[in-house]
Coordinates of all heavy atoms in Angstrom, one line a residue:
R285 N 5.0 12.3 19.9 CA 3.9 12.1 19.0 C 4.2 10.9 18.0 O 3.3 10.1 17.7 CB 3.7 13.4 18.1 CG 2.5 13.3 17.2 CD 2.2 14.6 16.5 NE 3.2 15.0 15.5 CZ 4.1 16.0 15.7 NH1 4.1 16.7 16.9 NH2 5.0 16.3 14.9
N286 N 5.4 10.8 17.6 CA 5.8 9.7 16.7 C 5.6 8.3 17.5 O 5.1 7.3 16.9 CB 7.2 9.8 16.2 CG 7.4 10.9 15.3 OD1 6.4 11.3 14.6 ND2 8.6 11.4 15.1
R287 N 6.0 8.3 18.7 CA 5.9 7.0 19.5 C 4.4 6.7 19.7 O 4.0 5.6 19.7 CB 6.6 7.1 20.8 CG 8.1 6.9 20.6 CD 8.8 6.8 22.0 NE 10.2 6.5 21.7 CZ 11.2 7.0 22.4 NH1 11.0 7.7 23.5 NH2 12.5 6.7 22.1
E288 N 3.6 7.8 20.0 CA 2.2 7.5 20.2 C 1.5 6.9 18.9 O 0.8 6.0 19.0 CB 1.5 8.8 20.5 CG 1.7 9.3 21.9 CD 1.1 10.7 22.2 OE1 0.7 11.4 21.2 OE2 1.0 11.1 23.4
R289 N 1.9 7.5 17.8 CA 1.4 6.9 16.5 C 1.8 5.5 16.3 O 1.0 4.6 16.0 CB 1.8 7.8 15.3 CG 1.4 7.3 14.0 CD 1.8 8.3 12.9 NE 3.2 8.5 12.9 CZ 4.1 7.6 12.4 NH1 3.8 6.5 11.8 NH2 5.5 7.9 12.5
L290 N 3.1 5.2 16.5 CA 3.6 3.9 16.3 C 3.1 2.9 17.3 O 2.7 1.7 16.9 CB 5.2 3.9 16.3 CG 5.9 4.6 15.2 CD1 7.3 4.8 15.5 CD2 5.7 3.7 13.9
L291 N 2.9 3.3 18.5 CA 2.3 2.4 19.6 C 0.9 2.1 19.2 O 0.4 1.0 19.4 CB 2.5 3.0 20.9 CG 2.0 2.2 22.1 CD1 2.7 0.8 22.2 CD2 2.1 2.9 23.4
D292 N 0.1 3.1 18.8 CA -1.2 2.9 18.4 C -1.3 1.9 17.2 O -2.2 1.0 17.2 CB -1.9 4.2 17.9 CG -2.2 5.1 19.1 OD1 -2.2 4.6 20.3 OD2 -2.5 6.3 18.9
D293 N -0.4 2.1 16.3 CA -0.4 1.1 15.1 C 0.0 -0.3 15.6 O -0.6 -1.3 15.1 CB 0.7 1.6 14.1 CG 0.3 2.7 13.3 OD1 -0.9 3.1 13.4 OD2 1.2 3.4 12.7
L294 N 0.9 -0.4 16.6 CA 1.2 -1.8 17.1 C 0.1 -2.4 17.8 O -0.2 -3.6 17.6 CB 2.4 -1.6 18.0 CG 2.8 -2.9 18.8 CD1 3.3 -4.0 17.9 CD2 3.9 -2.6 19.8
I295 N -0.6 -1.6 18.6 CA -1.8 -2.1 19.4 C -2.9 -2.6 18.3 O -3.5 -3.6 18.5 CB -2.3 -1.1 20.3 CG1 -1.3 -0.9 21.5 CG2 -3.7 -1.5 20.9 CD1 -1.7 0.3 22.4
D296 N -3.1 -1.8 17.3 CA -4.1 -2.1 16.3 C -3.7 -3.4 15.6 O -4.6 -4.3 15.3 CB -4.2 -1.0 15.3 CG -5.0 0.2 15.8 OD1 -5.7 0.0 16.8 OD2 -5.0 1.3 15.2
Q297 N -2.4 -3.5 15.2 CA -1.9 -4.7 14.5 C -2.1 -6.0 15.4 O -2.6 -7.0 14.9 CB -0.4 -4.5 14.1 CG -0.2 -3.6 13.0 CD -0.3 -4.3 11.6 OE1 -0.4 -5.5 11.6 NE2 -0.2 -3.5 10.5
L298 N -1.8 -5.9 16.6 CA -1.9 -7.0 17.5 C -3.3 -7.4 17.7 O -3.6 -8.6 17.7 CB -1.2 -6.6 18.9 CG 0.3 -6.6 18.9 CD1 0.8 -6.0 20.2 CD2 0.9 -8.0 18.8
E299 N -4.2 -6.4 17.9 CA -5.6 -6.7 18.1 C -6.2 -7.3 16.8 O -7.0 -8.3 16.9 CB -6.4 -5.5 18.5 CG -7.8 -5.8 19.0 CD -7.9 -6.9 20.1 OE1 -7.1 -6.8 21.0 OE2 -8.7 -7.8 19.9
T300 N -5.9 -6.7 15.7 CA -6.5 -7.3 14.4 C -5.9 -8.7 14.2 O -6.7 -9.6 13.8 CB -6.1 -6.3 13.2 OG1 -6.5 -5.0 13.5 CG2 -6.6 -6.9 11.9
H301 N -4.7 -8.9 14.4 CA -4.1 -10.3 14.3 C -4.8 -11.2 15.2 O -5.1 -12.4 14.8 CB -2.6 -10.2 14.5 CG -1.9 -11.5 14.4 ND1 -1.8 -12.1 13.2 CD2 -1.3 -12.3 15.4 CE1 -1.1 -13.3 13.4 NE2 -0.9 -13.4 14.7
A302 N -5.0 -10.8 16.5 CA -5.7 -11.7 17.4 C -7.0 -12.1 17.0 O -7.5 -13.3 17.2 CB -5.7 -11.1 18.8
V303 N -7.8 -11.1 16.5 CA -9.1 -11.4 16.0 C -9.1 -12.4 14.9 O -9.9 -13.4 14.9 CB -9.8 -10.1 15.6 CG1 -11.2 -10.4 14.9 CG2 -10.1 -9.2 16.8

Side-chain angles (χ1 to χ4, degrees):
R285 185 173 68 251
N286 290 338
R287 281 192 179 143
E288 286 176 346
R289 176 178 55 81
L290 290 167
L291 182 58
D292 286 346
D293 288 346
L294 174 61
I295 291 171
D296 284 344
Q297 285 273 352
L298 286 167
E299 188 54 46
T300 301
H301 180 69
V303 169

